[in-house]
Amino acid sequence: MIYGIGTDIVNIKRLKEDADFCEHFKEKIMSLREREFMAARQFKDIRGQVLYLAKRFAGKEAVVKALGTGFVKDIHLSDIEIFNDEQGHPFVELSGGAKRYINTVAKNEVRVHISLSDDYPYASAVAVIEE
């Protein structure tokens, strides 16, 4: 059963393409584990980092829309972690306030499906929470 569906789009041009901005934005939107995961990736240039961050931000926004909450009820950006498996497919792990919230409202265990995409100057995401 579908619990919720969310989508988001980010205009990448609104993000600065410089190292200081990327570092600040990473600290703001990502958990420590996500920052470590990102550090292990090889980016050709700063634009690759900006695209990566924009997709992650869109993904987190899509997930809270699928939750039906937004970033309230003690749900933070770092509570929604987005990683990639060995084949490159993105997946979501909920923690903190996001996990506590879904555990109180869902009747069964949930799975979060996510799709991330970019076509400069946009990054987009769709999230589906399945019970």
Side-chain angles (χ1 to χ4, degrees):
M1 180 172 96
I2 302 296
Y3 175 83
I5 300 171
T7 185
D8 195 65
I9 187 166
V10 172
N11 184 338
I12 298 165
K13 288 182 178 180
R14 294 183 64 197
L15 306 178
K16 295 180 185 172
E17 291 187 20
D18 69 63
D20 288 338
F21 175 81
C22 282
E23 193 59 37
H24 173 73
F25 199 57
K26 267 192 289 191
E27 293 287 326
K28 181 178 177 179
I29 71 164
M30 295 178 125
S31 69
L32 177 60
R33 286 179 45 207
E34 287 176 299
R35 292 192 306 269
E36 290 170 348
F37 184 81
M38 183 178 175
R41 297 182 59 99
Q42 299 294 320
F43 292 99
K44 295 179 186 174
D45 56 20
I46 197 73
R47 180 172 276 188
Q49 292 180 46
V50 171
L51 290 172
Y52 183 89
L53 290 167
K55 286 186 284 190
R56 277 7 193 214
F57 184 67
K60 292 168 183 252
E61 289 281 346
V63 170
V64 293
K65 290 174 182 176
L67 286 171
T69 61
F71 288 103
V72 295
K73 301 181 190 232
D74 200 32
I75 298 173
H76 305 282
L77 286 161
S78 59
D79 294 341
I80 300 161
E81 296 177 304
I82 303 173
F83 301 102
N84 294 86
D85 66 17
E86 297 80 24
Q87 290 80 36
H89 302 118
F91 66 92
V92 174
E93 291 183 6
L94 300 177
S95 63
K99 187 170 186 169
R100 284 190 299 276
Y101 175 77
I102 198 64
N103 286 342
T104 62
V105 296
K107 296 177 180 134
N108 303 302
E109 189 73 24
V110 299
R111 182 168 179 198
V112 181
H113 305 275
I114 193 156
S115 178
L116 306 173
S117 186
D118 66 84
D119 186 9
Y120 191 84
Y122 300 104
S124 65
V126 174
V128 176
I129 300 176
E130 175 185 27
E131 234 183 309

